[in-house]
Amino acid sequence: MTEKTRRRGRDRSASPSDDAGDVGITIGTPRGRSPVRKHEFEIEDPATYEPKPMFAAGSSFSLVQKWNDFYANKDFGNILLLIVLYWLQGIPLGLAHGSIPFLLKEKLSFAQVGLFSLAGYPYSLKLFWSPFVDSWYDRKFGRRKSWIAPIQLIVAVMFWWMGSHIDSLVRNPADSIYEIMYLFLAIVFLSATQDIAVDGWALTLLSKENLSYASTCQTVGLNCGYFLSFTVFLALNSAEFSNKYIFSSPREEGFLQLGPYMAFWALMYVVVTLYLIVFKVEETSTSDEADYGIVDTYKTIWRICKLPHMRQFIAVLFFAKLGFIPNDSTTQLKLIERGLHREDMALAVLIDFPVQIFFGYYAARWSQGSSKMRPWRIAFVLRLLSSVLSMATVHFFPEDGLTTWYFYIILLTKVAGSMASTVQFVGLSAFITQIADPVIGGTYMTLLNTLSNFGGTWPVFFIMRAVDYFSSATCVVPGGDMGASYSCAAVEDRKRCLKDGGVCDVRWDGYYIVSTTCVLFALFLFVTFIRPTVLYLERLPAHVWRVSKESHR
């Protein structure tokens, strides 16, 4: 289309009042548009539109171009540092929430494994000491480094000590369950405290235009650390996996034991901490991140919690994960109990890991705009559906052992659940980052993250005990008297029953009762309370989530 035609189009739509700001519409080529008015829009002429190949070199779909743009980002180094710091957090969390429960379940009941789950509670209660992290520090050394550096060194010392003691404790967990629980309780407490400092540092370490990368860094870092301590470790710890893929001659133990693994990460903690101390200089607090005393910070938290919309948000976070807990905490243990080998489970998680990273990257982008929590709501329903499918995979597990096609079904179900979980996690983290008030630094982030974590932690102990409570399994030994019968709910008791020549008669499996109840209750809450509340909260402007600076004093 010629410039003359373009002028005619503008002349026909022009009027004496155009200079006052009327909206004009101009038809032109994609490259020939040059709006004159402030509010002028142009419609591309289909006849002159030049389509571009979707995957042309240099396009937004080019992975090389994406990497070049990311590498050129001024916060590239800080983004990598955040990923590493979150990675170190994922190492103990992967052990506490992943590998150790699997190792314990081979010899303990669900109720006893539920006792160990108390070790994960500090990560969901860190709000209570976060004001200390925000208020006590050495200004010269750095507000966040004052906590991150010493905590990582303490964790390194504990990991090094446990490297020579933990294997003997895990071999006889019934006699040392409390000692194991207290050790990991201390480690998770330290990791949770480090998380407070890292969350607060992310608000100032990244520039405002890159602040959305904070949730992505957390997702990538935590998942990588969790993946190594859960999937990779369990695979290398499995004698079957090691004999099949690593050893040339069969051995009784796997390639990697828990002690050497923890000793290795003790060294990694020291290396990263030395880098922080020697090379990383933390910038001083900005005007947006003022210094407040401990009492003032607690008062500020209380003011925030009293906000009407915050109380609604707290209620959502407290109950939102209730329907997923049975699936997250017991389904994989039940599959192992039914005959799924650890190496098969590790392979499933290995395939599942790239999916989490992929959706972790894009979920933050989906959580933009006016409907920030829409991906979270969709993933909520998908996660409930995944919980139902997971129950089905346990119920219909082949009696003759795992087959290839059934392994694909388990894998598909797990990938679907992890995809929904990752979308929920990143979407919620992105929303929290957008509404967090930098005036109190990491405390605001910790407040919201703690509420979210606690919603997924507090039911675990009760749910795992409820699984045993509603289960009825008795070992029946042919020719034996009734007085000799005993419960075979635990895996170790089931092995004992088989060794005695008996049959474990399972009358009621509490797993199905508890899981079904939680899913139905969560679905009811979603329809009646969670969904309408989230729709309202996501439309609120950011400033209503914050208390005024004057009220901080």
Side-chain angles (χ1 to χ4, degrees):
M1 187 172 289
T2 63
E3 183 65 20
K4 182 176 180 180
T5 306
R6 291 168 54 84
R7 283 197 297 269
R8 286 178 182 174
R10 281 196 289 267
D11 291 340
R12 281 195 294 267
S13 62
S15 67
S17 61
D18 280 347
D19 294 335
D22 291 348
V23 176
I25 299 178
T26 305
I27 299 178
T29 63
R31 298 182 180 179
R33 297 191 303 257
S34 56
V36 177
R37 304 172 186 84
K38 180 178 180 181
H39 302 291
E40 183 174 358
F41 299 91
E42 301 184 17
I43 302 176
E44 296 178 0
D45 188 351
T48 62
Y49 181 74
E50 300 177 5
K52 295 181 180 180
M54 180 176 292
F55 295 99
S59 69
S60 60
F61 293 93
S62 172
L63 295 178
V64 175
Q65 183 63 37
K66 282 181 176 291
W67 169 255
N68 290 335
D69 293 342
F70 178 66
Y71 182 76
N73 192 303
K74 64 180 181 179
D75 288 334
F76 176 77
N78 291 334
I79 290 174
L80 289 184
L81 176 60
L82 282 177
I83 291 176
V84 170
L85 293 177
Y86 282 119
W87 191 316
L88 292 181
Q89 288 182 38
I91 296 300
L93 293 180
L95 293 175
H97 296 284
S99 295
I100 302 300
F102 270 92
L103 297 177
L104 296 180
K105 186 62 183 71
E106 295 179 352
K107 300 180 179 180
L108 302 177
S109 66
F110 277 102
Q112 291 172 306
V113 177
L115 178 64
F116 174 80
S117 70
L118 295 176
Y121 272 43
Y123 209 80
S124 302
L125 299 173
K126 55 189 176 181
L127 172 67
F128 293 105
W129 63 90
S130 63
F132 291 90
V133 179
D134 254 355
S135 303
W136 289 355
Y137 58 91
D138 187 323
R139 185 179 297 274
K140 292 183 179 180
F141 188 65
R143 181 171 190 169
R144 310 304 176 186
K145 287 172 56 179
S146 297
W147 288 91
I148 296 175
I151 284 175
Q152 291 185 168
L153 291 177
I154 295 174
V155 173
V157 172
M158 293 190 66
F159 266 42
W160 186 262
W161 181 86
M162 293 175 68
S164 58
H165 295 82
I166 191 63
D167 285 320
S168 60
L169 296 177
V170 173
R171 289 191 188 100
N172 301 289
D175 299 329
S176 55
I177 182 63
Y178 283 97
E179 185 176 354
I180 298 173
M181 188 267 289
Y182 288 137
L183 285 171
F184 278 95
L185 181 71
I187 290 176
V188 174
F189 171 79
L190 293 171
S191 298
T193 307
Q194 184 220 25
D195 183 62
I196 299 171
V198 175
D199 283 347
W201 202 3
L203 294 177
T204 56
L205 194 62
L206 301 179
S207 56
K208 290 185 177 180
E209 60 269 23
N210 291 321
L211 198 58
S212 61
Y213 281 110
S215 60
T216 304
C217 292
Q218 187 179 38
T219 301
V220 173
L222 283 175
N223 278 334
C224 286
Y226 197 97
F227 169 74
L228 287 177
S229 287
F230 187 17
T231 305
V232 174
F233 170 76
L234 279 184
L236 297 179
N237 181 256
S238 169
E240 292 83 359
F241 181 90
S242 301
N243 289 330
K244 185 176 181 179
Y245 297 105
I246 300 177
F247 298 142
S248 57
S249 58
R251 302 183 184 180
E252 294 183 359
E253 293 185 340
F255 175 78
L256 181 62
Q257 299 304 305
L258 185 57
Y261 179 79
M262 298 187 73
F264 167 80
W265 281 107
L267 296 177
M268 293 299 100
Y269 269 94
V270 172
V271 170
V272 174
T273 306
L274 290 178
Y275 168 79
L276 287 178
I277 295 174
V278 177
F279 298 104
K280 186 62 180 178
V281 178
E282 183 177 352
E283 297 181 0
T284 57
S285 300
T286 63
S287 58
D288 287 335
E289 194 177 23
D291 296 331
Y292 296 100
I294 295 177
V295 175
D296 291 331
T297 304
Y298 276 115
K299 289 181 178 179
T300 301
I301 292 176
W302 181 242
R303 292 191 189 100
I304 293 173
C305 292
K306 288 195 301 182
L307 295 173
H309 44 276
M310 181 58 74
R311 285 181 292 189
Q312 292 177 303
F313 195 31
I314 290 173
V316 169
L317 296 178
F318 195 79
F319 293 104
K321 297 181 181 179
L322 186 59
F324 321 132
I325 300 303
N327 182 35
D328 294 345
S329 61
T330 61
T331 293
Q332 294 186 85
L333 298 178
K334 291 295 294 186
L335 288 172
I336 294 289
E337 186 178 285
R338 293 296 299 270
L340 181 69
H341 296 293
R342 277 195 286 162
E343 58 270 22
D344 296 325
M345 185 274 301
L347 179 60
V349 181
L350 177 64
I351 299 174
D352 174 57
F353 177 68
V355 176
Q356 296 189 41
I357 299 298
F358 176 82
F359 281 95
Y361 173 78
Y362 283 100
R365 303 180 64 179
W366 298 337
S367 300
Q368 304 296 324
S370 58
S371 186
K372 303 178 182 66
M373 295 282 284
R374 185 171 182 268
W376 185 91
R377 297 193 303 271
I378 296 175
F380 188 101
V381 179
L382 294 178
R383 206 169 169 189
L384 284 181
L385 178 61
S386 176
S387 298
V388 175
L389 294 177
S390 296
M391 280 190 284
T393 61
V394 174
H395 180 73
F396 294 105
F397 196 93
E399 294 292 339
D400 298 331
L402 182 68
T403 60
T404 302
W405 68 269
Y406 203 81
F407 174 75
Y408 290 146
I409 293 177
I410 294 175
L411 177 62
L412 181 62
T413 304
K414 179 169 181 55
V415 168
S418 297
M419 176 192 71
S421 176
T422 301
V423 171
Q424 274 203 306
F425 175 79
V426 178
L428 183 62
S429 298
F431 177 70
I432 289 174
T433 302
Q434 294 173 35
I435 66 175
D437 187 355
V439 171
I440 53 175
T443 299
Y444 202 108
M445 290 280 289
T446 301
L447 166 65
L448 299 177
N449 284 324
T450 296
L451 295 172
S452 177
N453 292 334
F454 190 67
T457 302
W458 72 265
V460 174
F461 174 77
F462 303 100
I463 284 176
M464 298 193 78
R465 291 190 67 88
V467 169
D468 273 357
Y469 179 81
F470 289 106
S471 295
S472 177
T474 305
C475 181
V476 180
V477 181
D481 55 359
M482 292 301 295
S485 63
Y486 51 87
S487 173
C488 55
V491 175
E492 191 75 5
D493 293 332
R494 189 173 292 108
K495 292 179 180 179
R496 173 189 165 194
C497 180
L498 296 175
K499 186 177 180 180
D500 294 340
V503 176
C504 187
D505 181 21
V506 181
R507 296 183 180 180
W508 298 98
D509 193 333
Y511 165 74
Y512 301 109
I513 299 174
V514 174
S515 297
T516 302
T517 303
C518 288
V519 168
L520 292 177
F521 181 66
L523 183 61
F524 171 78
L525 279 181
F526 180 77
V527 174
T528 60
F529 171 69
I530 294 177
R531 183 179 181 275
T533 302
V534 169
L535 283 171
Y536 165 72
L537 295 177
E538 69 180 359
R539 292 184 173 89
L540 295 175
H543 68 85
V544 304
W545 295 93
R546 306 173 180 181
V547 292
S548 63
K549 290 186 177 182
E550 290 75 11
S551 66
H552 284 289
R553 296 300 185 183

